[in-house]
Amino acid sequence: MVALQGSGTDEGSGAFVSASPVRGNDSESFGNLVIFAGILFSAAFTGLIWFASGRLQAISHLPDQGASWYFWILPEPTFWSRTTAWGFYAAHQIAQWALIYHAQVRVRKYTRGLHPVNVAALGMNAGFIAMHFVQTHIWYDGLAQDVSIWSALGLVAILLIWVLLMENDRRGLFFAKPLPFSRRLIQFARRYHGYYFSWAIVYTFWYHPMEATSGHLIGFFYMFLLMVQGSLFLTRMHVNRWWMVFLEVT
């Protein structure tokens, strides 16, 4: 007899989600394995960035010009450095949004395992991570050549505010006391957070070349973790409390 996954609520929209058959990978232990594999991949690829960083030492940089200056750009960008940075970023962003949209329109229910769209998202993000590594070592420049450093910082700041809004009912904002935001606003934030979070993460990811300063390594490691999280939409792993705490304290 086929066991059933418990009914619940679609945490993106607040809509009721009906029960669905448990598949072979639909277990808590499998979910923990997926999360562990994501952490391991993130750490291993961060190590690869560090290991290969010697190849980037020959690249020259302009002198630092103050707080608004981003140091890790080519003194003279080329057609291909710009085309690959913006082209790969656009492809990555569109692919991520398309998968989120597909999940919301076609899948629409949570599982303890992985939907095929989650497997596609994990593979897609891993592919673009590898692509960015190659792009850095051939053409170097990220989006930073053409946009202000404050754009990436601003996107991340709004992301953090968005998280606080989503967590308002459960955790409160001031001394565990929630603020009286409208229910419609909270539902909007939960339903569409994936699109904005994806934009903030993918944009920031392609903003930087894969350099190996301590700041870059920590930042890329954390972005890899967020890409894992962003690939687990409509799974119980996406809302696993221990995994969420790990992301918050990393």
Side-chain angles (χ1 to χ4, degrees), residues 39-49 221:
I39 296 172
L40 187 63
F41 172 86
S42 301
F45 211 98
T46 303
L48 176 62
I49 295 172
F221 175 66

Side-chain angles (χ1 to χ4, degrees), residues 68-233:
S68 297
W69 179 255
Y70 187 76
F71 181 74
W72 294 274
I73 58 175
L74 293 176
E76 296 183 4
T78 68
F79 169 81
W80 285 111
S81 67
R82 278 199 166 103
T83 300
T84 55
W86 284 101
F88 293 160
Y89 158 68
H92 191 176
Q93 188 66 82
I94 292 169
Q96 184 71 27
W97 279 341
L99 290 172
I100 294 172
Y101 179 79
H102 173 84
Q104 286 193 332
V105 173
R106 297 294 183 87
V107 182
R108 302 179 59 190
K109 57 188 176 184
Y110 274 74
T111 178
R112 294 185 185 278
L114 293 174
H115 296 292
V117 70
N118 300 123
V119 177
L122 289 166
M124 179 272 296
N125 278 307
F128 276 107
I129 288 171
M131 189 178 296
H132 192 10
F133 178 83
V134 173
Q135 189 266 347
T136 292
H137 283 265
I138 297 177
W139 297 287
Y140 189 74
D141 262 344
L143 305 184
Q145 183 67 246
D146 298 309
V147 290
S148 168
I149 190 173
W150 301 110
S151 62
L153 294 175
L155 285 175
V156 173
I158 295 173
L159 184 151
L160 295 175
I161 295 171
W162 201 308
V163 170
L164 292 176
L165 178 62
M166 291 172 58
E167 293 292 307
N168 177 65
D169 289 349
R170 188 171 67 90
R171 298 165 67 174
L173 289 183
F174 298 100
F175 303 102
K177 300 295 183 181
L179 294 182
F181 295 120
S182 72
R183 178 55 47 191
R184 181 174 297 181
L185 176 62
I186 298 296
Q187 288 181 347
F188 175 88
R190 288 178 175 171
R191 180 169 181 79
Y192 295 106
H193 77 277
Y195 296 99
Y196 181 81
F197 286 18
S198 170
W199 181 31
I201 294 164
V202 174
Y203 179 91
T204 304
F205 173 69
W206 285 98
Y207 184 90
H208 305 274
M210 283 190 169
E211 278 280 4
T213 68
S214 59
H216 282 88
L217 291 175
I218 294 170
F220 275 114
F221 175 66
Y222 191 57
M223 280 189 283
F224 298 157
L225 295 178
L226 291 178
M227 287 184 192
V228 173
Q229 170 71 338
S231 300
L232 298 177
F233 41 76

Side-chain angles (χ1 to χ4, degrees), residues 46-77:
T46 303
L48 176 62
I49 295 172
W50 171 82
F51 180 78
S53 62
R55 298 187 71 256
L56 303 177
Q57 292 180 0
I59 295 175
S60 60
H61 300 282
L62 296 173
D64 194 342
Q65 299 179 27
S68 297
W69 179 255
Y70 187 76
F71 181 74
W72 294 274
I73 58 175
L74 293 176
E76 296 183 4

